[in-house]
Amino acid sequence: MNIEILRDRPFSEGSGVIGYPELPRLIDRKYLGSNPDAFQNLLPRIFDHLSELSGYYPGFDEWLNKKVLPGLMSGERSILLEYRRGDLSGLAIVKDDESEQKLCCLRVLPPYQGTGVGLKLFERSFEVLNNDSPLLSIAEEQLVVFRKIFQYYGFEFAKIYPDYYRPFKAELSFNGLIESDSSFSLLKPSTGFQLPKFRKSTHG
């Protein structure tokens, strides 16, 4: 059964309360079981805040509807939300199943970038997964944004995947592999992208 997320009632940043009786910090199977109306009233508004990431990942909306939503219902995925003064400031999606523990995506809303929201979401993701080095991947353009954070946490660069999601653009994995196919290599893509060189952080 395919369940589609409806997006007919988006909410704007800085709007305060997001049109729901309470502001949950974690949306998972337990929360949805107790709040079934969240499928229509809350999740569409949350998913809208992830739309900026679709530029890096073609088919992102389909992934939300066909992977994230069923994963929330099965218990293998959770959404973490952060707020500042009652406004949504950032959110992350994590996956925890028998095959992998993964930080699937993380977004800090523009007004709150550089305020520590991202670090808070990383820390909370580690707690939910019970793992401080979960698998994750980023588009090559995002390396400049995440480099210091990844270094702080001692994330280990694992592999580069040229043309993985988009032609002539690479996807970088950390703390593990997103694709075990040996046809993917550590060769630099033709865009001139440089492989990251991290040192282990002293972060405990």
Side-chain angles (χ1 to χ4, degrees):
M1 179 184 296
N2 292 326
I3 301 176
E4 294 294 324
I5 284 288
L6 303 177
R7 300 192 179 196
D8 56 349
R9 286 181 285 179
F11 63 104
S12 60
E13 295 165 4
S15 61
V17 177
I18 61 177
Y20 208 64
E22 297 181 358
L23 300 175
R25 298 186 70 240
L26 178 68
I27 297 177
D28 57 8
R29 179 172 59 181
K30 180 178 179 181
Y31 177 85
L32 292 174
S34 301
N35 300 274
D37 56 329
F39 287 101
Q40 300 297 325
N41 296 332
L42 183 60
L43 284 180
R45 307 180 185 198
I46 290 173
F47 280 14
D48 278 333
H49 279 280
L50 293 168
S51 60
E52 275 195 9
L53 298 177
S54 62
Y56 295 117
Y57 302 103
F60 189 77
D61 289 348
E62 183 179 7
W63 174 74
L64 288 173
N65 281 313
K66 295 187 177 181
K67 295 292 186 179
V68 175
L69 182 56
L72 289 170
M73 298 170 65
S74 69
E76 74 174 24
R77 297 182 193 261
S78 303
I79 300 177
L80 292 68
L81 301 105
E82 276 295 311
Y83 305 92
R84 290 294 184 271
R85 299 192 180 102
D87 291 342
L88 183 68
S89 58
L91 60 162
I93 299 176
V94 298
K95 178 184 178 184
D96 188 359
D97 64 12
E98 294 181 355
S99 63
E100 64 182 3
Q101 291 182 310
K102 184 176 183 180
L103 176 50
C104 301
C105 70
L106 184 151
R107 187 191 175 212
V108 177
L109 275 61
Y112 304 98
Q113 292 175 4
T115 65
V117 171
L119 287 174
K120 182 66 174 178
L121 284 167
F122 272 105
E123 296 284 351
R124 289 186 56 207
S125 298
F126 300 161
E127 292 177 6
V128 170
L129 295 172
N130 194 28
N131 183 351
D132 62 4
S133 297
L135 170 65
L136 57 89
S137 70
I138 59 172
E140 64 176 66
E141 299 97 321
Q142 294 179 303
L143 181 61
V144 66
V145 176
F146 287 105
R147 179 185 289 274
K148 289 184 179 180
I149 293 178
F150 288 4
Q151 187 171 11
Y152 174 73
Y153 286 119
F155 288 172
E156 294 187 356
F157 172 70
K159 203 167 187 179
I160 188 168
Y161 299 83
D163 307 312
Y164 191 73
Y165 290 112
R166 298 168 297 154
F168 310 112
K169 296 294 183 180
E171 186 77 3
L172 287 74
S173 71
F174 294 80
N175 303 327
L177 303 178
I178 56 174
E179 175 61 65
S180 59
D181 189 338
S182 60
S183 64
F184 292 97
S185 69
L186 286 172
L187 294 177
K188 299 177 185 178
S190 58
T191 56
F193 171 79
Q194 298 296 315
L195 294 177
K197 296 180 180 179
F198 290 165
R199 293 180 179 178
K200 270 293 195 179
S201 163
T202 57
H203 173 70

